Amino acid sequence: MSRTVLVTGATGYIARHIIRRLLDRGHTVVGTTRDASRDAEMRAALEPVLADRSSLERYRTVSLDLLRYNGWDSAMEGVDTLIHTASPFPISSPKNADDVVRPAVDGTLRALRAAQAAGIANVVLTSSSVAVTETSDHQDIYDETCWTDPQKTGLSPYALSKTLAERAAWEFVSTEATGMRLSVINPTFVLGAPLGSDFGTSIKVIERLMRGTDPMLPRFGFACCDVGDVAEAHVRAMDRSEAAGRRHIIYDRFMWLEEIASVIRDAAPSARPARRVAPDVLMRLVGVFDPAVRGIVPQLGKITRADNSRMREALGLEPRDTRESVAETARWLTDRKAA
Ligand code: NAP
């Protein structure tokens, strides 16, 4: 069945991959951005990767802001499915948590209310594994029953924003008589070649590693997944009955920065990621002055693993090996001389 899908945050790293897949499957897409003049940039990024370039005729960009009322109702006209990806994902923590929490939570509720008013019954929300894994007690393996504790000491504003936004979405569909079908995708750290030169925070982390800006690597790592798997998960979640009313962690493996750096070195020999691992005590000290480091201090030395059986069983997705995604990202950045 061909759908008309509104994708918020269309200019984003993940959203571009989702839109590509939607267009390839014959769907019509309305992409939202705060700056509609980015339509040309979107078309230029999508055109070379589409199975059929003429499918761009089924794409249009509209201007919407998560913090403003204007435009939501008209954007939703004729739409039958909402994929809500837009949310701030800053590389370093803002001083004021509200800078990320408000657009995440108010934006999610604004999108859901507009969808309800437009009679849209099918919603896929991009949450994050950070809404899952910051539980009060450490777990060996996290699954979809786990929820981040919003009161946890040292919780980043970003993790708080994603947790409260996802909670608000579940509450909205359960308490309001919406008749809405909600599926939630909880990606871990997303890697893989971007579409177009404006890439998000996760790719900037690889770029920073490749430049060797940091003389040492913190004892820090990520639960990782591939951007193609994340995009495919959103598209499958629209239709699969097993995905309705459920969260889905997208996860392949945990990788220490040291391991990511080693994959980068093999894939892109001109890159200069640091080799030495910094003692935790040094990172704590640096974190006092550097907000980008401060955010990772509570995670030093911690391994985060997740159960991906729901991704495999409900969505039918076998995860791509994220060592390949790291290598692909490193080659992509080298080819474009971004790193
Ligand atoms: P991204 O490239 O930064 O894209 C996010 C998009 O959100 C931006 O393109 C921006 O669009 C839009 N946005 C931000 N603030 C907005 C606001 N106030 N109003 C309207 N739109 C706003 O990030 P991404 O990596 O693709 O992430 C997309 C989603 O996946 C987010 O919800 C993020 O939390 C989630 N996620 C990402 C990862 C990861 O590793 N990348 C992992 C787990 C979950 P405009 O600037 O064009 O308006």
Side-chain angles (χ1 to χ4, degrees), residues 8-15 32-35 38 64-67 84-89 103 126-129 158 162 186-191 198-202:
T8 64
T11 58
Y13 166 52
I14 294 173
T32 85
T33 163
R34 283 167 292 182
D35 177 3
R38 297 186 69 183
L64 278 184
D65 191 319
L66 294 174
L67 292 171
H84 180 52
T85 82
S87 213
F89 183 19
T126 319
S127 181
S128 168
S129 62
Y158 173 67
K162 296 305 288 181
N186 302 79
T188 49
F189 192 64
V190 185
L191 295 162
D198 183 25
F199 41 80
T201 288
S202 46

Side-chain angles (χ1 to χ4, degrees), residues 5-22 29-34 38 42 59 62 64-66 72 76 81-90 100 103-112 115 122-128 130 158 161-162 165-166 169 182-187 190 198 200-201 227 229-235 237-238:
V5 186
L6 184 125
V7 180
T8 64
T11 58
Y13 166 52
I14 294 173
R16 289 176 190 220
H17 281 270
I18 296 173
I19 293 168
R20 170 204 186 165
R21 280 174 159 72
L22 290 170
V29 179
V30 182
T32 85
T33 163
R34 283 167 292 182
R38 297 186 69 183
M42 283 295 291
Y59 175 77
V62 299
L64 278 184
D65 191 319
L66 294 174
W72 286 88
M76 299 253 178
T81 301
L82 165 68
I83 298 185
H84 180 52
T85 82
S87 213
F89 183 19
V100 288
V105 177
D106 297 357
T108 297
L109 288 173
R110 185 160 287 126
L112 289 173
N122 200 13
V123 178
V124 181
L125 170 74
T126 319
S127 181
S128 168
V130 298
Y158 173 67
S161 78
K162 296 305 288 181
E166 191 193 329
L182 175 67
S183 283
V184 171
I185 305 299
N186 302 79
V190 185
D198 183 25
T201 288
V227 69
D229 290 342
V230 174
E232 188 60 29
H234 283 80
V235 176
M238 296 191 314

Side-chain angles (χ1 to χ4, degrees), residues 6-335:
L6 184 125
V7 180
T8 64
T11 58
Y13 166 52
I14 294 173
R16 289 176 190 220
H17 281 270
I18 296 173
I19 293 168
R20 170 204 186 165
R21 280 174 159 72
L22 290 170
L23 293 174
D24 278 351
R25 309 262 165 95
H27 302 296
T28 296
V29 179
V30 182
T32 85
T33 163
R34 283 167 292 182
D35 177 3
S37 70
R38 297 186 69 183
D39 181 67
E41 173 198 336
M42 283 295 291
R43 287 176 189 279
L46 289 165
E47 197 181 14
V49 294
L50 290 171
D52 172 4
R53 289 174 180 210
S54 71
S55 60
L56 262 185
E57 286 163 19
R58 284 182 272 106
Y59 175 77
R60 70 190 160 91
T61 306
V62 299
S63 178
L64 278 184
D65 191 319
L66 294 174
L67 292 171
R68 292 179 209 277
Y69 284 103
N70 313 6
W72 286 88
D73 292 344
S74 56
M76 299 253 178
E77 270 167 32
V79 169
D80 53 64
T81 301
L82 165 68
I83 298 185
H84 180 52
T85 82
S87 213
F89 183 19
I91 194 153
S92 53
S93 286
K95 278 202 184 106
N96 184 354
D98 266 354
D99 291 351
V100 288
V101 171
R102 273 197 55 227
V105 177
D106 297 357
T108 297
L109 288 173
R110 185 160 287 126
L112 289 173
R113 284 193 194 109
Q116 180 186 24
I120 296 170
N122 200 13
V123 178
V124 181
L125 170 74
T126 319
S127 181
S128 168
S129 62
V130 298
V132 175
T133 55
E134 296 299 313
T135 49
S136 31
D137 299 319
H138 182 78
Q139 313 282 316
D140 289 335
I141 297 186
Y142 292 88
D143 65 23
E144 286 85 354
T145 63
C146 300
W147 272 97
T148 288
D149 174 5
Q151 312 291 340
K152 190 175 176 181
T153 313
L155 188 70
S156 71
Y158 173 67
L160 180 66
S161 78
K162 296 305 288 181
T163 306
L164 296 182
E166 191 193 329
R167 282 258 185 233
W170 286 120
E171 212 172 291
F172 181 84
V173 297
S174 65
T175 56
E176 311 252 342
T178 58
M180 263 180 193
R181 167 199 189 281
L182 175 67
S183 283
V184 171
I185 305 299
N186 302 79
T188 49
F189 192 64
V190 185
L191 295 162
L195 302 179
S197 54
D198 183 25
F199 41 80
T201 288
S202 46
I203 302 304
K204 286 185 187 144
V205 170
I206 303 297
E207 188 187 32
R208 180 168 168 161
L209 273 175
M210 289 173 74
R211 287 197 171 145
T213 319
D214 308 293
M216 289 194 209
L217 300 169
R219 223 162 52 88
F220 176 78
F222 297 103
C224 299
C225 65
D226 180 71
V227 69
D229 290 342
V230 174
E232 188 60 29
H234 283 80
V235 176
R236 292 191 187 186
M238 296 191 314
D239 292 319
R240 295 210 171 197
S241 56
E242 306 93 306
R246 292 178 130 185
R247 319 170 83 194
H248 305 81
I249 296 171
I250 310 301
Y251 169 78
D252 172 52
R253 71 190 59 225
F254 176 86
M255 291 179 82
W256 291 109
L257 282 184
E258 202 182 358
E259 194 182 351
I260 295 177
S262 152
V263 174
I264 290 173
R265 246 178 253 114
D266 288 346
S270 61
R272 295 274 173 271
R275 287 178 187 270
R276 284 192 301 156
V277 177
D280 294 353
V281 65
L282 176 64
M283 293 314 298
R284 288 201 178 90
L285 193 64
V286 176
V288 173
F289 305 102
D290 184 343
V293 173
R294 197 176 307 145
I296 64 164
V297 166
Q299 307 297 335
L300 290 171
K302 283 193 190 152
I303 297 178
T304 309
R305 292 200 174 94
D307 179 352
N308 60 11
S309 42
R310 185 168 296 169
M311 157 191 183
R312 288 189 281 105
E313 287 156 18
L315 300 177
L317 275 172
E318 280 306 319
R320 182 183 186 198
D321 183 332
T322 33
R323 288 169 299 193
E324 285 171 20
S325 321
V326 172
E328 181 184 275
T329 309
R331 283 192 295 269
W332 187 92
L333 286 166
T334 306
D335 289 350

